[in-house]
Amino acid sequence: MTAILSLQNKKWDAPGTDAPEFCIKAAGKVLMESGGRNWVPVIVKEIEQDQYEVIGNSFVYAIAQEVGLERVWCIVTDSSERTFDLTRILTGELIPKVNLSTASRDEIQAALQYLIEKPNSELKGIKLAIATNRIDEAPRQSWKNFEPITMLKCGITKGKKLDALKEVFYLTPQSELEVVTPIVTPEPKLDTLTIAQLKDMAKKQGISGYNKKKKQELVALLTTA
């Protein structure tokens, strides 16, 4: 739902922005010179009546506050956690994460490259191709944490290097296949069977000469068959 909301008569909760003060002030000046309307909407969710939380485009909200806009153009979303995360990802305010348990090789490579190329990266010096190949080929479907990566000899060790991966990866360990042990019904002891049952067994096994034999003789015949 889109709405023009007042900044004056409503309560707002905003997470703030990492944008430099210069950018906010300079953008505010451009906004006012262009008519004072934020053509890029602030994305909010309604916490309660007339109270909103900014969940996306917080930079735009900061500019509106800087120049003292009375009203801002907003998109009002539902209040679910899923919508909150998606909105922040789509507006570039939250880094999306990849499920390392099921990620493709290309996804692993792209995520590692992002980490390696970050300013002051903890993974600076890691060989992208080697790390990608070894993680991709590892049995990561059953990993419960990232510790096994330190055993792959790809340059990622315990501590800050390993912790850096948590920015772009998460794990959902796959259930190990349950080993089903077939139930084997033990063969009955031959001496507990009747003569008729013993003869029937001998017949099924293709043993000849069993018709006139006594029980113990049948047992011996079947035992050596």
Side-chain angles (χ1 to χ4, degrees):
M1 177 183 76
T2 60
I4 304 295
L5 301 178
S6 171
L7 289 178
Q8 308 299 319
N9 301 322
K10 294 178 173 59
K11 296 179 181 179
W12 291 74
D13 182 14
T17 175
D18 294 332
E21 183 179 359
F22 161 74
C23 292
I24 295 174
K25 290 183 177 297
K29 184 177 181 180
V30 174
L31 173 63
M32 297 308 293
E33 290 174 348
S34 302
R37 178 169 181 176
N38 60 300
W39 291 100
V40 177
V42 177
I43 304 175
V44 303
K45 68 177 181 180
E46 189 171 20
I47 302 173
E48 54 186 62
Q49 187 173 3
D50 290 336
Q51 185 171 350
Y52 297 91
E53 178 182 356
V54 177
I55 64 173
N57 288 338
S58 55
F59 177 62
V60 177
Y61 176 76
I63 295 169
Q65 279 195 314
E66 172 67 24
V67 299
L69 287 186
E70 292 185 1
R71 298 162 69 83
V72 292
W73 178 38
C74 299
I75 294 177
V76 183
T77 72
D78 62 64
S79 58
S80 70
E81 192 68 24
R82 187 180 183 89
T83 298
F84 176 83
D85 289 342
L86 175 61
T87 299
R88 291 185 62 77
I89 288 172
L90 293 178
T91 56
E93 294 166 281
L94 181 67
I95 301 299
K97 292 187 178 184
V98 175
N99 184 356
L100 189 56
S101 301
T102 58
S104 67
R105 185 186 182 284
D106 287 345
E107 288 174 325
I108 295 170
Q109 183 176 27
L112 289 176
Q113 185 170 6
Y114 164 78
L115 292 176
I116 292 170
E117 294 178 353
K118 284 185 62 178
N120 303 314
S121 172
E122 298 294 343
L123 298 184
K124 186 177 181 180
I126 297 296
K127 301 298 183 182
L128 178 60
I130 293 175
T132 299
N133 290 336
R134 293 186 180 176
I135 293 174
D136 178 46
E137 294 167 0
R140 49 199 161 85
Q141 293 79 11
S142 61
W143 287 354
K144 296 180 180 179
N145 54 53
F146 296 114
E147 292 289 331
I149 293 177
T150 64
M151 308 295 290
L152 300 179
K153 297 182 179 180
C154 61
I156 300 175
T157 54
K158 289 184 179 181
K160 293 182 178 180
K161 283 184 169 59
L162 192 64
D163 290 341
L165 299 180
K166 297 176 183 178
E167 182 180 352
V168 293
F169 291 121
Y170 68 95
L171 292 165
T172 55
Q174 307 297 300
S175 300
E176 294 184 8
L177 294 177
E178 183 179 355
V179 178
V180 179
T181 303
I183 299 174
V184 179
T185 304
E187 292 289 340
K189 292 183 178 180
L190 295 176
D191 57 6
T192 64
L193 301 178
T194 64
I195 291 178
Q197 289 173 323
L198 291 170
K199 288 182 177 180
D200 185 57
M201 286 183 66
K203 181 179 179 181
K204 288 179 179 178
Q205 294 182 29
I207 300 173
S208 60
Y210 61 84
N211 279 327
K212 295 182 180 181
K213 293 188 179 295
K214 297 179 180 180
K215 182 173 182 177
Q216 293 305 317
E217 292 174 325
L218 286 168
V219 169
L221 185 65
L222 290 166
T223 300
T224 58

